[in-house]
Amino acid sequence: MMEFLNFYLVPGVVLGCIYALGAIGISLTFGILRFSNFAHGETMTLGVYFTLSLIHLTGLHPLAVMPISMALTAAAVLGMDRAFFKPFRNSPTIMLVIASFGLMLMIRSVIQFFWGVQLQALQTGIQRPWVLLESFRILPKHVLIIGATVVLMMAVHLLLTRTKIGKAMRATSDNPELAALTGIDTELVVKATWIMGASLAVAAGVFLALDTHVETMMGFKLLLPMFAAAILGGIGKPYGAVIGGLVIGIAEEISAYPWIGTEPLLPPGYKAGVAFAIMVAMLIWRPQGLLRGRQF
Amino acid sequence: MEQYYGLFIYGLSLLTMGGIYAVLTLGLNVQWGFTGLFNAGIAGFLAVGAYVQAILTTPISRDHLGAYNVPIPLAMLAAMVVSAAVAWAIAKICIRLRSDYLAIATIGIAEILRLVFKNEIWATNGPRGVSQIPKAFETLPQPWNTLAFLAMVLGIVAVIYLALEKARAAPWGRVMTAIRENETAASAAGKNIEAFRLESFVIGSALMGLAGALLAQYLKQIDPQVSDPLTATFLVWVMLIAGGSANNRGAILGAMLLWVVWSGSEIVSQRFLSLLSSDWLGILTITEAGEWSIRFAYLRVFIIGLILQIILQKRPQGVLPEKRPKPHPRLRGDATAASQGD
Amino acid sequence: MTRVLELDGIHGGYGETEILHDINMHVDPGEIVVIVGPNGAGKSTAMKAVFGLLNIRKGAIRLQGADITNTPPQQVVREGVAFVPQSANVFVSLSVEENLEMGAYVSSADPGPRVEEIFQLFPPLREKRRQPTGSLSGGQRQMVAMGKALMLHPKILLLDEPTAGLSPKYRGEIFQIVRDINAAGATILMVEQNAKQALRIAHRGYVLVDGENRYTGTGAELIADDEVARMFLGGGRTT
């Protein structure tokens, strides 16, 4: 039982937090900009590499420099929107999807060009787990990740429900035509969406890097689970993305548990398949997701 | 003389790879150009075809499945069939999804397939891959073996082109165009949209499998990372869009053109770097040049991506815009054609 | 006295088509002006023209004398025109209060006091202020839509078929509300399918047929007119 909790459930929650933060951005982009942004994973990677360089420059803790890398990444994303997405604001969605596909490879290649492809670490040193109640073990960095995620989600919630721009974002996601008729500045809403999505993606990336390592493919590897989480929760619904992220993260980790006999239920090499299977199942059975997001 | 011969062989290899990519692009054109299906998992079907070819034709090995000693042409056919079967299974589930969902689903499929090829070591030798794949005409002396292989590839491209052009002018093709342009009208006209989409997806994937089989022979060895799946998928998409989507001639042109750009840029950057690290310029050391050559590879991807964005914004119809085929004279009065003309 | 709104010789449509042919209308301060006509007459189109949602090829639209022809909707809102579309006219996932707040988006002032005033105008909404608007009845949603449009004291309020799809009970309520809003000072231009009821509360009306002006007069005049009555007042509208 304790083994399950310590080695499967808790890592699942941690992974779920990471997926959730990334999926919120995808959900917001889909709801407000009306397309699936394939470059979202690379946004995450970019943020992590900015963080890496800032750490090398300042020697500070990753979380201390994260706000700066969020700002840098947000600025980069706004620039990319201007150059590659804005021309297609009133075009068929597929143009945006193709453009984001191209952008995904462009960002990745820029990262690889400047930073190289070898694995790196955000923090060095081995962490010792905290031991609570004699048998519950958790790594400090996992406490950090879960705690920081909770804080970020509360911030998102407050922003969306208490600020004018947040309400405008929800309104635009709900009905963009009416938003325009009401006088809402849709370009400002678009910018706010990119900033929020990018910042959360950076957080997700940094947390993943803290948990594992830094590599150029990390964003792409997260793309499928993030999309699955967003779809599971109901695309266009940020709160759904959180639920979706947690479900998928936990499902992925506990799929390796030896539920039957002594072998993992699912060979660990196929973990990525879990997210995919859940996504396909949702798309067939209940495409609007758990919280009834936008449908086709 | 030596230099020219080297250039000649290089030119042949350009055409051969360009031809293989043309098969891929034609396959994508069936799915995207004809029916508007966004397949972002091209690399998956390529890999399926390649592995089928490899497993069926390689001699015995204790590392992976093999030694079936299937003749090469038969293996190529099998590659097409297996790819088609995989595509059929996927399409049965996913064909109704709107384009961006289909894109993410196909990316997922390609990833899963890659994992299968990587993890099922008993069958595929995992990350180490399968080598010593028999190549058509390889018993001939140089340069005839290369020429013969090239001729085969180009012949296949020609056959596919003619078949697709014929299909396009036939009722089947015109229904496809109708579905792509106005699904509601086509559906109202009684056409079973889903069945057509399924057919299109399966046929396109079969072609991709064939390309995989050709690639496996050409490279004589494959592994799960064969030609960096994401880049390969991306390259094919740029080829189609640059050449002119919905347009078979454009697909072939785009494939050849982009392949020359892609491959040529590698040569150019190598030459550039060796110039920079040469004795008389001496700006870089040899080691530095080596590091930069790796980085330049990423730059090339960036440039291809930039080309795509520019084309999307400035000339989305590609180099060769779609020209509607004239219907077969016999069928001009066919009242069941769902759409006609421009 | 400058007219609040003038449509002067409007020719226009969506894209290449022309739906409106030489439309002339005006609204004076404090009036309720109604546009009626058979289906497909271009009533809603005329309203959309004011709001910049149409391609106007000839003619001019003036708001208190200033030309607003072909001005984009977000700008028209800032000029003081509020538009309540026929359907999807509230943000269903936002609460009633949030919908009203969004109505005041273009102003940087605190919307709080005005929200309270709107609740005075539509008392049933007050107790539902935090509920998602999607959970309200059709009639209540219409109230939210109108309240949202009134947040910034618009110079003119455009209502596109406010009673469409409502039960007779709510229809009467809505017309009463329109009267009340007008009494409180709002100038209103309204498109309506329920011509008779609408004309009863209107100061003046325009009858549009096939994208052209056909009749005009005071509400009472139009009701009394035989031609108009025969055309579609008698048959009325099937619920």
Side-chain angles (χ1 to χ4, degrees):
Chain A
M1 174 63 197
M2 268 347 257
E3 187 199 331
F4 178 73
L5 194 66
N6 291 337
F7 296 115
Y8 294 90
L9 193 57
V10 169
V13 171
V14 172
L15 193 60
C17 288
I18 294 170
Y19 287 165
L21 288 172
I24 295 179
I26 292 186
S27 223
L28 282 174
T29 314
F30 193 95
I32 292 172
L33 284 124
R34 302 303 181 91
F35 79 101
S36 306
N37 181 17
F38 281 112
H40 192 74
E42 312 312 309
T43 307
M44 184 187 279
T45 315
L46 186 65
V48 175
Y49 275 93
F50 277 145
T51 311
L52 187 69
S53 292
L54 284 168
I55 292 176
H56 285 161
L57 220 65
T58 61
L60 294 170
H61 188 272
L63 284 196
V65 299
M66 198 163 76
I68 308 176
S69 44
M70 281 181 175
L72 288 171
T73 313
V77 166
L78 286 174
M80 291 186 248
D81 175 59
R82 186 96 179 291
F84 302 118
F85 292 138
K86 192 159 178 195
F88 299 118
R89 282 275 196 268
N90 298 315
S91 304
T93 319
I94 198 67
M95 302 296 276
L96 287 163
V97 177
I98 299 177
S100 78
F101 197 58
L103 200 57
M104 168 171 72
L105 270 111
M106 286 168 74
I107 300 175
R108 190 165 57 116
S109 55
V110 166
I111 294 174
Q112 288 169 328
F113 182 79
F114 281 112
W115 279 280
V117 293
Q118 66 276 32
L119 292 182
Q120 307 196 49
L122 271 190
Q123 273 182 320
T124 48
I126 316 248
Q127 286 199 342
R128 235 171 283 132
W130 293 351
V131 184
L132 305 167
L133 301 174
E134 275 182 38
S135 43
F136 178 62
R137 283 176 156 60
I138 189 163
L139 290 168
K141 64 180 179 180
H142 284 172
V143 177
L144 185 70
I145 292 174
I146 297 177
T149 305
V150 171
V151 169
L152 281 170
M153 299 215 195
M154 289 205 305
V156 168
H157 175 74
L158 287 174
L159 239 122
L160 287 180
T161 52
R162 300 281 176 88
T163 65
K164 189 169 169 183
I165 189 70
K167 293 178 195 177
M169 284 167 73
R170 283 164 52 218
T172 311
S173 175
D174 189 298
N175 188 336
E177 292 82 18
L178 184 64
L181 292 179
T182 311
I184 293 176
D185 184 348
T186 37
E187 270 306 305
L188 191 64
V189 168
V190 165
K191 289 194 177 81
T193 309
W194 284 123
I195 294 175
M196 192 185 271
S199 303
L200 293 172
V202 170
V206 168
F207 294 162
L208 181 64
L210 280 175
D211 198 28
T212 56
H213 47 241
V214 177
E215 55 147 340
T216 55
M217 293 299 281
M218 58 193 300
F220 176 68
K221 288 188 179 160
L222 243 60
L223 196 64
L224 195 61
M226 288 193 299
F227 264 105
I231 289 172
L232 174 59
I235 197 126
K237 296 243 177 255
Y239 302 103
V242 173
I243 298 175
L246 286 169
V247 169
I248 291 189
I250 294 175
E252 253 188 49
E253 287 298 317
I254 66 177
S255 73
Y257 186 73
W259 292 97
I260 308 171
T262 53
E263 288 298 315
L265 189 66
L266 187 72
Y270 287 112
K271 263 195 197 158
V274 174
F276 180 71
I278 294 179
M279 184 182 79
V280 170
M282 280 316 278
L283 285 176
I284 299 170
W285 165 62
R286 194 182 155 113
Q288 68 271 39
L290 291 172
L291 293 194
R292 281 181 220 279
R294 199 175 308 279
Q295 211 170 337
F296 303 33
Chain B
M1 201 57 220
E2 265 295 323
Q3 216 189 358
Y4 290 124
Y5 185 68
L7 219 61
F8 173 63
I9 294 292
Y10 177 64
L12 291 184
S13 85
L14 269 187
L15 283 175
T16 313
M17 275 304 272
I20 293 177
Y21 267 92
V23 175
L24 275 173
T25 317
L26 284 168
L28 183 63
N29 195 26
V30 174
Q31 296 172 338
W32 170 248
F34 275 30
T35 341
L37 294 169
F38 195 118
N39 182 1
I42 299 173
F45 298 107
L46 180 73
V48 168
Y51 270 100
V52 169
Q53 178 78 17
I55 289 176
L56 287 183
T57 57
T58 44
I60 193 149
S61 159
R62 58 190 157 81
D63 297 323
H64 57 82
L65 282 178
Y68 296 105
N69 285 319
V70 174
I72 289 176
L74 217 57
M76 297 204 299
L77 206 63
M80 289 179 74
V81 168
V82 176
S83 283
V86 174
W88 186 86
I90 294 165
K92 256 308 189 195
I93 304 173
C94 301
I95 206 72
R96 261 175 271 121
L97 299 178
R98 75 174 225 180
S99 36
D100 38 5
Y101 288 171
L102 185 64
I104 192 72
T106 45
I107 285 186
I109 301 278
E111 268 301 293
I112 306 280
L113 285 170
R114 192 181 65 84
L115 287 178
V116 169
F117 292 131
K118 188 168 142 198
N119 289 323
E120 300 308 309
I121 302 181
W122 59 275
T124 62
N125 201 17
R128 302 236 293 262
V130 179
S131 52
Q132 295 183 324
I133 301 174
K135 176 177 171 181
F137 308 116
E138 60 184 340
T139 46
L140 295 177
Q142 273 267 21
W144 304 109
N145 53 357
T146 320
L147 278 168
F149 192 79
L150 172 62
M152 176 179 81
V153 171
L154 293 181
I156 289 176
V157 172
V159 166
I160 296 175
Y161 174 74
L162 290 170
L164 289 179
E165 283 295 291
K166 249 223 161 87
R168 214 154 73 102
W172 185 87
R174 285 178 299 145
V175 174
M176 290 299 188
T177 314
I179 292 174
R180 192 190 74 203
E181 312 229 311
N182 191 341
E183 187 175 321
T184 353
S187 168
K191 302 298 174 185
N192 185 346
I193 310 279
E194 214 168 290
F196 276 106
R197 283 211 165 123
L198 196 77
E199 265 175 46
S200 156
F201 195 78
V202 168
I203 293 174
S205 300
L207 291 178
M208 293 176 187
L210 177 61
L214 291 171
L215 188 67
Q217 295 178 52
Y218 183 67
L219 297 176
K220 289 191 67 63
Q221 64 175 46
I222 53 164
D223 56 69
Q225 282 296 118
V226 65
S227 61
D228 184 8
L230 203 59
T231 309
T233 302
F234 182 56
L235 212 50
V236 176
W237 267 102
V238 182
M239 286 169 172
L240 184 60
I241 289 180
S245 48
N247 182 339
N248 289 318
R249 225 171 298 178
I252 299 176
L253 177 68
M256 289 289 179
L257 215 68
L258 260 303
W259 182 254
V260 168
V261 170
W262 178 248
S263 183
S265 62
E266 181 173 10
I267 306 277
V268 167
S269 56
Q270 302 283 39
R271 288 286 164 90
F272 179 62
L273 283 174
S274 64
L275 186 67
L276 282 186
S277 59
S278 66
D279 289 329
W280 72 273
L281 257 192
I283 300 179
L284 293 176
T285 66
I286 302 284
T287 5
E288 282 174 340
E291 283 167 18
W292 276 103
S293 105
I294 298 177
R295 298 196 173 205
F296 266 34
Y298 310 129
L299 206 59
R300 286 159 57 217
V301 176
F302 181 79
I303 291 174
I304 300 278
L306 201 60
I307 292 176
L308 173 69
Q309 305 290 6
I310 296 174
I311 292 177
L312 276 183
Q313 291 187 22
K314 302 296 179 208
R315 199 185 160 89
Q317 67 272 38
V319 173
L320 294 181
E322 180 184 4
K323 243 194 303 196
R324 296 298 182 79
K326 297 221 173 6
H328 197 282
R330 216 171 12 102
L331 300 167
R332 214 172 298 232
D334 186 351
T336 60
S339 93
Q340 199 58 239
D342 29 22
Chain C
M1 177 177 70
T2 356
R3 297 186 159 156
V4 176
L5 186 69
E6 264 183 285
L7 277 78
D8 194 353
I10 297 296
H11 293 256
Y14 301 107
E16 294 304 313
T17 55
E18 183 162 293
I19 299 179
L20 302 175
H21 317 293
D22 198 24
I23 294 290
N24 291 285
M25 287 183 203
H26 69 268
V27 183
D28 290 321
E31 280 192 314
I32 298 178
V33 174
V34 166
I35 305 176
V36 295
N39 274 326
K43 314 191 288 290
S44 293
T45 314
M47 182 158 280
K48 290 184 182 155
V50 175
F51 216 67
L53 294 168
L54 212 70
N55 180 9
I56 295 173
R57 260 171 253 116
K58 219 168 130 187
I61 300 183
R62 279 181 279 271
L63 180 69
Q64 290 186 333
D67 189 304
I68 60 165
T69 324
N70 283 325
T71 311
Q74 274 139 319
Q75 191 54 37
V76 178
V77 173
R78 278 161 220 269
E79 301 293 337
V81 181
F83 177 40
V84 180
Q86 181 178 339
S87 58
N89 49 22
V90 289
F91 298 112
V92 292
S93 60
L94 267 58
S95 70
V96 169
E97 187 159 6
E98 286 173 333
N99 263 279
L100 296 180
E101 287 173 8
M102 284 295 102
Y105 182 88
V106 299
S107 153
S108 48
D110 176 23
R114 182 66 179 149
V115 168
E116 294 304 318
E117 285 175 25
I118 299 290
F119 284 142
Q120 299 231 359
L121 207 52
F122 303 109
L125 295 183
R126 178 172 275 127
E127 58 171 8
K128 298 194 186 289
R129 65 195 296 165
R130 291 196 209 288
Q131 278 188 25
T133 316
S135 65
L136 268 54
S137 69
Q140 290 167 335
R141 262 191 259 187
Q142 207 62 348
M143 286 191 230
V144 176
M146 285 201 259
K148 173 171 153 287
L150 287 168
M151 282 295 291
L152 293 178
H153 301 278
K155 295 175 186 152
I156 181 167
L157 182 64
L158 306 178
L159 300 174
D160 191 355
E161 299 205 31
T163 67
L166 294 183
S167 57
K169 163 174 169 245
Y170 273 123
R171 247 186 268 151
E173 256 184 63
I174 294 293
F175 282 125
Q176 184 56 43
I177 289 172
V178 172
R179 257 226 181 100
D180 292 339
I181 303 176
N182 177 248
T187 308
I188 297 174
L189 177 64
M190 185 167 75
V191 165
E192 251 304 328
Q193 194 72 280
N194 293 302
K196 202 163 184 178
Q197 277 183 288
L199 287 171
R200 270 205 216 111
I201 64 164
H203 291 95
R204 284 184 306 112
Y206 291 92
V207 181
L208 254 52
V209 180
D210 288 333
E212 291 175 352
N213 289 82
R214 196 58 76 82
Y215 307 100
T216 183
T218 66
E221 285 170 5
L222 289 174
I223 293 178
D225 188 302
D226 286 329
E227 282 286 313
V228 175
R230 189 182 47 78
M231 191 181 288
F232 58 105
L233 287 186
R237 194 198 153 152
T238 49
T239 8

